[in-house]
Each structure stands twice: as C-alpha cells, then as structure tokens.
Amino acid sequence: MTTEFKKNHAQVCESWRLLGAVNRASYLEAAIPKLALLTGNATKAKRLFHHLLNAAPKLDEVERMTGATGESNDLYMTARGKTMVIGGESATTMAVLGQLIAALLTGNEVILHCPSQYEMCDEAAKILYDIGISDDVLSVANDAQTVTLLYIDRLAQVAVAGNTSEIQEISQTLADTDGILTQVIPVSDMDGLSEMLTPDYLHRFMTERVITINTTAIGGNASLLELGT
C-alpha cells in the first residue's frame, strides 16, 4: 500500500508539473477571490496574485537555441521540485499566500508550514482543494517542528516569509543539512512585498532544462547522411 501511495503521489505531482503554467494559472485564478479575503486587504491581495498569474505565458515559453548541425536544442523552464512555503512569526498572510501561489504556479509540489497562522493555512488549502488542486500537490504541515521539516529528503527550495533573523536561521539550518542544495527564496518586506515584484521572482522557483533532438537521425536533414558515403 505504501509503495502504491508513493507511486501515485509522484504521478500526480508530475501531472501538475506537466500541465503548464497557463493551465495552472486557470486553476489558481478561480481561488483568488477567496484567498484574497483571508488577507485582510482583498484589493491589494488580488493585485498581487493577478500580477503573479499574469506571468504564466512567459513561463511556458520555449527558446530555440543555436546548436550543432543536425540537432535542435530547446530551452525551457520547469519546476524545481519539492518546495516548502514557511511563514515566520512576523509574516503576514498576504506574504505567505503570495509565496504559495508562486510555488504552485511554477509547477512545484508544495508543503505549507505556518504554525502562527494554523487556521489560515487549513482554510487556504481547503480553497485550493475545492478548485481541483490535489492534496498530493499541496499539503499542510503545521503539526511538525520547522527544523524537522527542513531535513525532509530531496527538498529543493524553501520560500520563507518573515523578518531577517527568521530567514537567516532557516538558511543556516538548511546549510547544515545533507543531500541536495536547497535554495532559499526570501520575502521580508511585509508592507510592499517588493521581492515578489522583481522580474526574476517566479524564475527562482524554477530551473532550466534543454531538450536536444538529433534531427539527422529522424530525417531532419537527409543530405548529412550522404557525407560519409
């Protein structure tokens, strides 16, 4: 049973990643009105959330790169992987939810952890489940210690909303862990949320990949096949 659960979990998360940012944005769009109401300033929250979702088409862009003769190389962006969204004691609801939307929009599996806002996390998760996001893709983990969660296997990145000391403490803990390098994506400006408005913000939740196809082997340039004769 455990093996089957893990297998299905991976499949569901992979399906979410492969869905594409534009399609993921359509899911999240439906949740914005209710999520915004949780923040205490729905108008400002909607502006922020829509700003993030409006970037979806660019996240799906594929760039054709110059390569060797007889092959094509396409550069694209994809999710980095397992992502934890943490809200510190000083974090506002809007900052936490902004990080959550960014992590989901970019196709990641997300673990939400904000012990000081336990009810908000549960309500946000319920809203997102209701619009079709699987509990395999999004889970709430407020019943565990932050330090314990930071040692989760293959944790790709941690999006932290909080003050400088909270961010530094989490960064230091991650630096002491073994395994893959875990990136920290901080938001400390609780008023202006300026970090979320930078051009590269969403790209921090993603990584670059290249698809290389041997076009000669599939008949893309038949004249090259004659060079050896």
PDB file of all heavy atoms in Angstrom, residues 83-123:
ATOM      1  N   THR A  83       8.842  21.802  -2.629  1.00  0.00           N
ATOM      2  CA  THR A  83       9.003  23.169  -2.133  1.00  0.00           C
ATOM      3  C   THR A  83       8.266  23.349  -0.815  1.00  0.00           C
ATOM      4  O   THR A  83       7.098  22.948  -0.692  1.00  0.00           O
ATOM      5  CB  THR A  83       8.445  24.181  -3.162  1.00  0.00           C
ATOM      6  OG1 THR A  83       9.117  24.010  -4.409  1.00  0.00           O
ATOM      7  CG2 THR A  83       8.618  25.610  -2.669  1.00  0.00           C
ATOM      8  N   MET A  84       8.927  23.953   0.156  1.00  0.00           N
ATOM      9  CA  MET A  84       8.266  24.273   1.407  1.00  0.00           C
ATOM     10  C   MET A  84       8.027  25.773   1.472  1.00  0.00           C
ATOM     11  O   MET A  84       8.936  26.560   1.195  1.00  0.00           O
ATOM     12  CB  MET A  84       9.100  23.829   2.605  1.00  0.00           C
ATOM     13  CG  MET A  84       8.365  23.972   3.923  1.00  0.00           C
ATOM     14  SD  MET A  84       9.309  23.258   5.288  1.00  0.00           S
ATOM     15  CE  MET A  84       9.382  21.555   4.736  1.00  0.00           C
ATOM     16  N   VAL A  85       6.809  26.157   1.790  1.00  0.00           N
ATOM     17  CA  VAL A  85       6.470  27.569   1.992  1.00  0.00           C
ATOM     18  C   VAL A  85       6.298  27.768   3.486  1.00  0.00           C
ATOM     19  O   VAL A  85       5.409  27.177   4.113  1.00  0.00           O
ATOM     20  CB  VAL A  85       5.179  27.941   1.237  1.00  0.00           C
ATOM     21  CG1 VAL A  85       4.748  29.364   1.608  1.00  0.00           C
ATOM     22  CG2 VAL A  85       5.393  27.828  -0.270  1.00  0.00           C
ATOM     23  N   ILE A  86       7.168  28.593   4.060  1.00  0.00           N
ATOM     24  CA  ILE A  86       7.181  28.802   5.507  1.00  0.00           C
ATOM     25  C   ILE A  86       6.810  30.250   5.838  1.00  0.00           C
ATOM     26  O   ILE A  86       7.341  31.191   5.247  1.00  0.00           O
ATOM     27  CB  ILE A  86       8.578  28.496   6.095  1.00  0.00           C
ATOM     28  CG1 ILE A  86       8.916  27.013   5.922  1.00  0.00           C
ATOM     29  CG2 ILE A  86       8.635  28.878   7.568  1.00  0.00           C
ATOM     30  CD1 ILE A  86      10.280  26.635   6.454  1.00  0.00           C
ATOM     31  N   GLY A  87       5.913  30.402   6.788  1.00  0.00           N
ATOM     32  CA  GLY A  87       5.587  31.718   7.312  1.00  0.00           C
ATOM     33  C   GLY A  87       6.115  31.847   8.718  1.00  0.00           C
ATOM     34  O   GLY A  87       5.768  31.054   9.601  1.00  0.00           O
ATOM     35  N   GLY A  88       6.994  32.820   8.948  1.00  0.00           N
ATOM     36  CA  GLY A  88       7.530  33.045  10.284  1.00  0.00           C
ATOM     37  C   GLY A  88       6.527  33.773  11.172  1.00  0.00           C
ATOM     38  O   GLY A  88       5.429  34.132  10.742  1.00  0.00           O
ATOM     39  N   GLU A  89       6.935  33.998  12.413  1.00  0.00           N
ATOM     40  CA  GLU A  89       6.051  34.680  13.366  1.00  0.00           C
ATOM     41  C   GLU A  89       5.680  36.074  12.881  1.00  0.00           C
ATOM     42  O   GLU A  89       4.591  36.583  13.163  1.00  0.00           O
ATOM     43  CB  GLU A  89       6.731  34.775  14.737  1.00  0.00           C
ATOM     44  CG  GLU A  89       6.906  33.445  15.452  1.00  0.00           C
ATOM     45  CD  GLU A  89       5.591  32.873  15.945  1.00  0.00           C
ATOM     46  OE1 GLU A  89       4.654  33.662  16.185  1.00  0.00           O
ATOM     47  OE2 GLU A  89       5.500  31.643  16.078  1.00  0.00           O
ATOM     48  N   SER A  90       6.577  36.724  12.131  1.00  0.00           N
ATOM     49  CA  SER A  90       6.344  38.092  11.678  1.00  0.00           C
ATOM     50  C   SER A  90       5.691  38.168  10.305  1.00  0.00           C
ATOM     51  O   SER A  90       5.436  39.253   9.790  1.00  0.00           O
ATOM     52  CB  SER A  90       7.675  38.859  11.639  1.00  0.00           C
ATOM     53  OG  SER A  90       8.564  38.264  10.696  1.00  0.00           O
ATOM     54  N   ALA A  91       5.404  37.027   9.702  1.00  0.00           N
ATOM     55  CA  ALA A  91       4.888  37.002   8.333  1.00  0.00           C
ATOM     56  C   ALA A  91       3.420  37.419   8.280  1.00  0.00           C
ATOM     57  O   ALA A  91       2.623  37.067   9.149  1.00  0.00           O
ATOM     58  CB  ALA A  91       5.048  35.610   7.737  1.00  0.00           C
ATOM     59  N   THR A  92       3.068  38.165   7.251  1.00  0.00           N
ATOM     60  CA  THR A  92       1.665  38.487   7.010  1.00  0.00           C
ATOM     61  C   THR A  92       1.031  37.374   6.174  1.00  0.00           C
ATOM     62  O   THR A  92       1.719  36.642   5.450  1.00  0.00           O
ATOM     63  CB  THR A  92       1.527  39.811   6.250  1.00  0.00           C
ATOM     64  OG1 THR A  92       2.160  39.692   4.963  1.00  0.00           O
ATOM     65  CG2 THR A  92       2.172  40.962   7.025  1.00  0.00           C
ATOM     66  N   THR A  93      -0.268  37.269   6.253  1.00  0.00           N
ATOM     67  CA  THR A  93      -0.987  36.271   5.464  1.00  0.00           C
ATOM     68  C   THR A  93      -0.765  36.495   3.975  1.00  0.00           C
ATOM     69  O   THR A  93      -0.593  35.543   3.205  1.00  0.00           O
ATOM     70  CB  THR A  93      -2.496  36.334   5.779  1.00  0.00           C
ATOM     71  OG1 THR A  93      -2.695  36.038   7.156  1.00  0.00           O
ATOM     72  CG2 THR A  93      -3.279  35.351   4.930  1.00  0.00           C
ATOM     73  N   MET A  94      -0.744  37.751   3.550  1.00  0.00           N
ATOM     74  CA  MET A  94      -0.570  38.050   2.132  1.00  0.00           C
ATOM     75  C   MET A  94       0.775  37.576   1.624  1.00  0.00           C
ATOM     76  O   MET A  94       0.895  37.039   0.511  1.00  0.00           O
ATOM     77  CB  MET A  94      -0.727  39.550   1.878  1.00  0.00           C
ATOM     78  CG  MET A  94      -0.957  39.896   0.403  1.00  0.00           C
ATOM     79  SD  MET A  94      -1.197  41.661   0.112  1.00  0.00           S
ATOM     80  CE  MET A  94      -2.553  42.026   1.232  1.00  0.00           C
ATOM     81  N   ALA A  95       1.817  37.740   2.416  1.00  0.00           N
ATOM     82  CA  ALA A  95       3.152  37.293   2.015  1.00  0.00           C
ATOM     83  C   ALA A  95       3.208  35.777   1.890  1.00  0.00           C
ATOM     84  O   ALA A  95       3.773  35.236   0.938  1.00  0.00           O
ATOM     85  CB  ALA A  95       4.198  37.784   3.017  1.00  0.00           C
ATOM     86  N   VAL A  96       2.610  35.084   2.850  1.00  0.00           N
ATOM     87  CA  VAL A  96       2.613  33.618   2.825  1.00  0.00           C
ATOM     88  C   VAL A  96       1.840  33.102   1.620  1.00  0.00           C
ATOM     89  O   VAL A  96       2.307  32.216   0.883  1.00  0.00           O
ATOM     90  CB  VAL A  96       2.016  33.049   4.128  1.00  0.00           C
ATOM     91  CG1 VAL A  96       1.900  31.525   4.036  1.00  0.00           C
ATOM     92  CG2 VAL A  96       2.867  33.439   5.328  1.00  0.00           C
ATOM     93  N   LEU A  97       0.660  33.659   1.387  1.00  0.00           N
ATOM     94  CA  LEU A  97      -0.163  33.199   0.272  1.00  0.00           C
ATOM     95  C   LEU A  97       0.454  33.575  -1.075  1.00  0.00           C
ATOM     96  O   LEU A  97       0.309  32.840  -2.060  1.00  0.00           O
ATOM     97  CB  LEU A  97      -1.580  33.767   0.385  1.00  0.00           C
ATOM     98  CG  LEU A  97      -2.409  33.234   1.560  1.00  0.00           C
ATOM     99  CD1 LEU A  97      -3.810  33.842   1.549  1.00  0.00           C
ATOM    100  CD2 LEU A  97      -2.499  31.715   1.514  1.00  0.00           C
ATOM    101  N   GLY A  98       1.139  34.701  -1.134  1.00  0.00           N
ATOM    102  CA  GLY A  98       1.834  35.073  -2.367  1.00  0.00           C
ATOM    103  C   GLY A  98       2.914  34.061  -2.711  1.00  0.00           C
ATOM    104  O   GLY A  98       3.049  33.629  -3.868  1.00  0.00           O
ATOM    105  N   GLN A  99       3.677  33.658  -1.705  1.00  0.00           N
ATOM    106  CA  GLN A  99       4.703  32.629  -1.913  1.00  0.00           C
ATOM    107  C   GLN A  99       4.060  31.294  -2.305  1.00  0.00           C
ATOM    108  O   GLN A  99       4.574  30.565  -3.157  1.00  0.00           O
ATOM    109  CB  GLN A  99       5.522  32.443  -0.622  1.00  0.00           C
ATOM    110  CG  GLN A  99       6.355  33.657  -0.201  1.00  0.00           C
ATOM    111  CD  GLN A  99       7.793  33.563  -0.686  1.00  0.00           C
ATOM    112  OE1 GLN A  99       8.053  33.515  -1.876  1.00  0.00           O
ATOM    113  NE2 GLN A  99       8.724  33.546   0.252  1.00  0.00           N
ATOM    114  N   LEU A 100       2.932  30.982  -1.692  1.00  0.00           N
ATOM    115  CA  LEU A 100       2.231  29.737  -2.003  1.00  0.00           C
ATOM    116  C   LEU A 100       1.767  29.729  -3.458  1.00  0.00           C
ATOM    117  O   LEU A 100       1.952  28.738  -4.182  1.00  0.00           O
ATOM    118  CB  LEU A 100       1.044  29.565  -1.058  1.00  0.00           C
ATOM    119  CG  LEU A 100       0.109  28.379  -1.331  1.00  0.00           C
ATOM    120  CD1 LEU A 100       0.862  27.059  -1.226  1.00  0.00           C
ATOM    121  CD2 LEU A 100      -1.077  28.401  -0.366  1.00  0.00           C
ATOM    122  N   ILE A 101       1.152  30.806  -3.898  1.00  0.00           N
ATOM    123  CA  ILE A 101       0.677  30.892  -5.283  1.00  0.00           C
ATOM    124  C   ILE A 101       1.839  30.794  -6.254  1.00  0.00           C
ATOM    125  O   ILE A 101       1.761  30.116  -7.286  1.00  0.00           O
ATOM    126  CB  ILE A 101      -0.115  32.196  -5.491  1.00  0.00           C
ATOM    127  CG1 ILE A 101      -1.469  32.082  -4.788  1.00  0.00           C
ATOM    128  CG2 ILE A 101      -0.307  32.499  -6.977  1.00  0.00           C
ATOM    129  CD1 ILE A 101      -2.280  33.353  -4.806  1.00  0.00           C
ATOM    130  N   ALA A 102       2.950  31.460  -5.944  1.00  0.00           N
ATOM    131  CA  ALA A 102       4.122  31.413  -6.823  1.00  0.00           C
ATOM    132  C   ALA A 102       4.652  29.989  -6.955  1.00  0.00           C
ATOM    133  O   ALA A 102       4.994  29.536  -8.053  1.00  0.00           O
ATOM    134  CB  ALA A 102       5.215  32.336  -6.281  1.00  0.00           C
ATOM    135  N   ALA A 103       4.723  29.277  -5.837  1.00  0.00           N
ATOM    136  CA  ALA A 103       5.246  27.906  -5.850  1.00  0.00           C
ATOM    137  C   ALA A 103       4.342  26.973  -6.647  1.00  0.00           C
ATOM    138  O   ALA A 103       4.824  26.105  -7.388  1.00  0.00           O
ATOM    139  CB  ALA A 103       5.404  27.398  -4.420  1.00  0.00           C
ATOM    140  N   LEU A 104       3.031  27.149  -6.521  1.00  0.00           N
ATOM    141  CA  LEU A 104       2.091  26.306  -7.259  1.00  0.00           C
ATOM    142  C   LEU A 104       2.050  26.675  -8.735  1.00  0.00           C
ATOM    143  O   LEU A 104       2.016  25.798  -9.610  1.00  0.00           O
ATOM    144  CB  LEU A 104       0.689  26.424  -6.655  1.00  0.00           C
ATOM    145  CG  LEU A 104       0.483  25.783  -5.278  1.00  0.00           C
ATOM    146  CD1 LEU A 104      -0.867  26.181  -4.691  1.00  0.00           C
ATOM    147  CD2 LEU A 104       0.603  24.264  -5.363  1.00  0.00           C
ATOM    148  N   LEU A 105       2.055  27.952  -9.025  1.00  0.00           N
ATOM    149  CA  LEU A 105       2.020  28.406 -10.421  1.00  0.00           C
ATOM    150  C   LEU A 105       3.176  27.841 -11.220  1.00  0.00           C
ATOM    151  O   LEU A 105       3.031  27.486 -12.396  1.00  0.00           O
ATOM    152  CB  LEU A 105       2.047  29.935 -10.467  1.00  0.00           C
ATOM    153  CG  LEU A 105       2.149  30.577 -11.862  1.00  0.00           C
ATOM    154  CD1 LEU A 105       0.920  30.251 -12.702  1.00  0.00           C
ATOM    155  CD2 LEU A 105       2.350  32.080 -11.743  1.00  0.00           C
ATOM    156  N   THR A 106       4.336  27.731 -10.597  1.00  0.00           N
ATOM    157  CA  THR A 106       5.534  27.255 -11.290  1.00  0.00           C
ATOM    158  C   THR A 106       5.635  25.731 -11.317  1.00  0.00           C
ATOM    159  O   THR A 106       6.641  25.188 -11.761  1.00  0.00           O
ATOM    160  CB  THR A 106       6.791  27.867 -10.648  1.00  0.00           C
ATOM    161  OG1 THR A 106       6.727  27.750  -9.213  1.00  0.00           O
ATOM    162  CG2 THR A 106       6.915  29.351 -11.000  1.00  0.00           C
ATOM    163  N   GLY A 107       4.599  25.047 -10.817  1.00  0.00           N
ATOM    164  CA  GLY A 107       4.504  23.600 -11.013  1.00  0.00           C
ATOM    165  C   GLY A 107       5.108  22.729  -9.939  1.00  0.00           C
ATOM    166  O   GLY A 107       5.278  21.526 -10.145  1.00  0.00           O
ATOM    167  N   ASN A 108       5.408  23.297  -8.788  1.00  0.00           N
ATOM    168  CA  ASN A 108       6.057  22.534  -7.727  1.00  0.00           C
ATOM    169  C   ASN A 108       5.067  21.803  -6.820  1.00  0.00           C
ATOM    170  O   ASN A 108       3.916  22.211  -6.681  1.00  0.00           O
ATOM    171  CB  ASN A 108       6.908  23.479  -6.868  1.00  0.00           C
ATOM    172  CG  ASN A 108       8.024  24.124  -7.649  1.00  0.00           C
ATOM    173  OD1 ASN A 108       9.029  23.499  -7.951  1.00  0.00           O
ATOM    174  ND2 ASN A 108       7.850  25.399  -8.006  1.00  0.00           N
ATOM    175  N   GLU A 109       5.560  20.744  -6.206  1.00  0.00           N
ATOM    176  CA  GLU A 109       4.854  20.124  -5.086  1.00  0.00           C
ATOM    177  C   GLU A 109       5.127  20.993  -3.861  1.00  0.00           C
ATOM    178  O   GLU A 109       6.278  21.365  -3.611  1.00  0.00           O
ATOM    179  CB  GLU A 109       5.369  18.710  -4.838  1.00  0.00           C
ATOM    180  CG  GLU A 109       4.822  18.065  -3.582  1.00  0.00           C
ATOM    181  CD  GLU A 109       5.591  16.822  -3.157  1.00  0.00           C
ATOM    182  OE1 GLU A 109       6.435  16.345  -3.933  1.00  0.00           O
ATOM    183  OE2 GLU A 109       5.346  16.342  -2.043  1.00  0.00           O
ATOM    184  N   VAL A 110       4.104  21.348  -3.083  1.00  0.00           N
ATOM    185  CA  VAL A 110       4.262  22.337  -2.025  1.00  0.00           C
ATOM    186  C   VAL A 110       3.832  21.799  -0.670  1.00  0.00           C
ATOM    187  O   VAL A 110       2.780  21.166  -0.533  1.00  0.00           O
ATOM    188  CB  VAL A 110       3.457  23.616  -2.346  1.00  0.00           C
ATOM    189  CG1 VAL A 110       3.673  24.657  -1.251  1.00  0.00           C
ATOM    190  CG2 VAL A 110       3.852  24.182  -3.702  1.00  0.00           C
ATOM    191  N   ILE A 111       4.669  22.092   0.323  1.00  0.00           N
ATOM    192  CA  ILE A 111       4.335  21.820   1.728  1.00  0.00           C
ATOM    193  C   ILE A 111       4.200  23.179   2.410  1.00  0.00           C
ATOM    194  O   ILE A 111       5.151  23.965   2.432  1.00  0.00           O
ATOM    195  CB  ILE A 111       5.438  21.004   2.411  1.00  0.00           C
ATOM    196  CG1 ILE A 111       5.651  19.672   1.690  1.00  0.00           C
ATOM    197  CG2 ILE A 111       5.104  20.762   3.889  1.00  0.00           C
ATOM    198  CD1 ILE A 111       6.926  18.956   2.079  1.00  0.00           C
ATOM    199  N   LEU A 112       3.025  23.476   2.950  1.00  0.00           N
ATOM    200  CA  LEU A 112       2.770  24.762   3.596  1.00  0.00           C
ATOM    201  C   LEU A 112       2.952  24.618   5.098  1.00  0.00           C
ATOM    202  O   LEU A 112       2.382  23.720   5.723  1.00  0.00           O
ATOM    203  CB  LEU A 112       1.338  25.222   3.268  1.00  0.00           C
ATOM    204  CG  LEU A 112       0.868  26.535   3.889  1.00  0.00           C
ATOM    205  CD1 LEU A 112       1.757  27.700   3.461  1.00  0.00           C
ATOM    206  CD2 LEU A 112      -0.586  26.796   3.496  1.00  0.00           C
ATOM    207  N   HIS A 113       3.735  25.535   5.675  1.00  0.00           N
ATOM    208  CA  HIS A 113       4.052  25.444   7.112  1.00  0.00           C
ATOM    209  C   HIS A 113       4.071  26.846   7.707  1.00  0.00           C
ATOM    210  O   HIS A 113       5.001  27.622   7.464  1.00  0.00           O
ATOM    211  CB  HIS A 113       5.415  24.780   7.295  1.00  0.00           C
ATOM    212  CG  HIS A 113       5.853  24.658   8.733  1.00  0.00           C
ATOM    213  ND1 HIS A 113       5.191  23.882   9.655  1.00  0.00           N
ATOM    214  CD2 HIS A 113       6.885  25.239   9.401  1.00  0.00           C
ATOM    215  CE1 HIS A 113       5.811  23.963  10.822  1.00  0.00           C
ATOM    216  NE2 HIS A 113       6.831  24.792  10.691  1.00  0.00           N
ATOM    217  N   CYS A 114       3.025  27.158   8.440  1.00  0.00           N
ATOM    218  CA  CYS A 114       2.932  28.472   9.082  1.00  0.00           C
ATOM    219  C   CYS A 114       2.201  28.294  10.413  1.00  0.00           C
ATOM    220  O   CYS A 114       1.007  28.595  10.529  1.00  0.00           O
ATOM    221  CB  CYS A 114       2.189  29.450   8.164  1.00  0.00           C
ATOM    222  SG  CYS A 114       2.163  31.150   8.765  1.00  0.00           S
ATOM    223  N   PRO A 115       2.913  27.807  11.424  1.00  0.00           N
ATOM    224  CA  PRO A 115       2.290  27.473  12.712  1.00  0.00           C
ATOM    225  C   PRO A 115       1.563  28.633  13.383  1.00  0.00           C
ATOM    226  O   PRO A 115       0.582  28.418  14.092  1.00  0.00           O
ATOM    227  CB  PRO A 115       3.484  27.011  13.562  1.00  0.00           C
ATOM    228  CG  PRO A 115       4.509  26.579  12.573  1.00  0.00           C
ATOM    229  CD  PRO A 115       4.351  27.498  11.401  1.00  0.00           C
ATOM    230  N   SER A 116       2.027  29.859  13.157  1.00  0.00           N
ATOM    231  CA  SER A 116       1.383  31.006  13.800  1.00  0.00           C
ATOM    232  C   SER A 116       0.059  31.367  13.138  1.00  0.00           C
ATOM    233  O   SER A 116      -0.702  32.185  13.674  1.00  0.00           O
ATOM    234  CB  SER A 116       2.323  32.222  13.770  1.00  0.00           C
ATOM    235  OG  SER A 116       2.582  32.625  12.435  1.00  0.00           O
ATOM    236  N   GLN A 117      -0.219  30.780  11.968  1.00  0.00           N
ATOM    237  CA  GLN A 117      -1.475  31.043  11.256  1.00  0.00           C
ATOM    238  C   GLN A 117      -2.090  29.703  10.823  1.00  0.00           C
ATOM    239  O   GLN A 117      -2.394  29.489   9.651  1.00  0.00           O
ATOM    240  CB  GLN A 117      -1.237  31.945  10.050  1.00  0.00           C
ATOM    241  CG  GLN A 117      -0.632  33.303  10.403  1.00  0.00           C
ATOM    242  CD  GLN A 117      -0.524  34.221   9.203  1.00  0.00           C
ATOM    243  OE1 GLN A 117      -1.514  34.525   8.555  1.00  0.00           O
ATOM    244  NE2 GLN A 117       0.681  34.661   8.897  1.00  0.00           N
ATOM    245  N   TYR A 118      -2.253  28.838  11.783  1.00  0.00           N
ATOM    246  CA  TYR A 118      -2.690  27.456  11.516  1.00  0.00           C
ATOM    247  C   TYR A 118      -4.037  27.423  10.798  1.00  0.00           C
ATOM    248  O   TYR A 118      -4.210  26.719   9.794  1.00  0.00           O
ATOM    249  CB  TYR A 118      -2.778  26.690  12.839  1.00  0.00           C
ATOM    250  CG  TYR A 118      -3.007  25.213  12.686  1.00  0.00           C
ATOM    251  CD1 TYR A 118      -1.941  24.324  12.723  1.00  0.00           C
ATOM    252  CD2 TYR A 118      -4.293  24.689  12.509  1.00  0.00           C
ATOM    253  CE1 TYR A 118      -2.138  22.950  12.581  1.00  0.00           C
ATOM    254  CE2 TYR A 118      -4.501  23.324  12.359  1.00  0.00           C
ATOM    255  CZ  TYR A 118      -3.423  22.464  12.403  1.00  0.00           C
ATOM    256  OH  TYR A 118      -3.625  21.123  12.258  1.00  0.00           O
ATOM    257  N   GLU A 119      -5.011  28.178  11.305  1.00  0.00           N
ATOM    258  CA  GLU A 119      -6.351  28.148  10.707  1.00  0.00           C
ATOM    259  C   GLU A 119      -6.332  28.707   9.287  1.00  0.00           C
ATOM    260  O   GLU A 119      -7.041  28.196   8.408  1.00  0.00           O
ATOM    261  CB  GLU A 119      -7.330  28.933  11.583  1.00  0.00           C
ATOM    262  CG  GLU A 119      -7.602  28.278  12.929  1.00  0.00           C
ATOM    263  CD  GLU A 119      -8.637  29.037  13.726  1.00  0.00           C
ATOM    264  OE1 GLU A 119      -9.115  30.092  13.244  1.00  0.00           O
ATOM    265  OE2 GLU A 119      -8.974  28.576  14.837  1.00  0.00           O
ATOM    266  N   MET A 120      -5.543  29.744   9.052  1.00  0.00           N
ATOM    267  CA  MET A 120      -5.443  30.313   7.714  1.00  0.00           C
ATOM    268  C   MET A 120      -4.903  29.288   6.731  1.00  0.00           C
ATOM    269  O   MET A 120      -5.398  29.166   5.602  1.00  0.00           O
ATOM    270  CB  MET A 120      -4.541  31.550   7.728  1.00  0.00           C
ATOM    271  CG  MET A 120      -4.386  32.242   6.373  1.00  0.00           C
ATOM    272  SD  MET A 120      -3.136  31.490   5.259  1.00  0.00           S
ATOM    273  CE  MET A 120      -1.619  31.873   6.140  1.00  0.00           C
ATOM    274  N   CYS A 121      -3.886  28.530   7.143  1.00  0.00           N
ATOM    275  CA  CYS A 121      -3.295  27.511   6.260  1.00  0.00           C
ATOM    276  C   CYS A 121      -4.330  26.456   5.888  1.00  0.00           C
ATOM    277  O   CYS A 121      -4.438  26.070   4.716  1.00  0.00           O
ATOM    278  CB  CYS A 121      -2.104  26.842   6.948  1.00  0.00           C
ATOM    279  SG  CYS A 121      -0.664  27.900   7.140  1.00  0.00           S
ATOM    280  N   ASP A 122      -5.091  25.998   6.874  1.00  0.00           N
ATOM    281  CA  ASP A 122      -6.113  24.991   6.605  1.00  0.00           C
ATOM    282  C   ASP A 122      -7.190  25.526   5.669  1.00  0.00           C
ATOM    283  O   ASP A 122      -7.660  24.826   4.766  1.00  0.00           O
ATOM    284  CB  ASP A 122      -6.750  24.515   7.910  1.00  0.00           C
ATOM    285  CG  ASP A 122      -5.860  23.555   8.682  1.00  0.00           C
ATOM    286  OD1 ASP A 122      -4.887  23.050   8.089  1.00  0.00           O
ATOM    287  OD2 ASP A 122      -6.121  23.323   9.871  1.00  0.00           O
ATOM    288  N   GLU A 123      -7.575  26.772   5.873  1.00  0.00           N
ATOM    289  CA  GLU A 123      -8.610  27.371   5.034  1.00  0.00           C
ATOM    290  C   GLU A 123      -8.104  27.577   3.604  1.00  0.00           C
ATOM    291  O   GLU A 123      -8.818  27.310   2.637  1.00  0.00           O
ATOM    292  CB  GLU A 123      -9.063  28.708   5.626  1.00  0.00           C
ATOM    293  CG  GLU A 123     -10.189  29.381   4.874  1.00  0.00           C
ATOM    294  CD  GLU A 123     -11.458  28.551   4.827  1.00  0.00           C
ATOM    295  OE1 GLU A 123     -11.681  27.755   5.751  1.00  0.00           O
ATOM    296  OE2 GLU A 123     -12.230  28.707   3.855  1.00  0.00           O
TER     297      GLU A 123
END
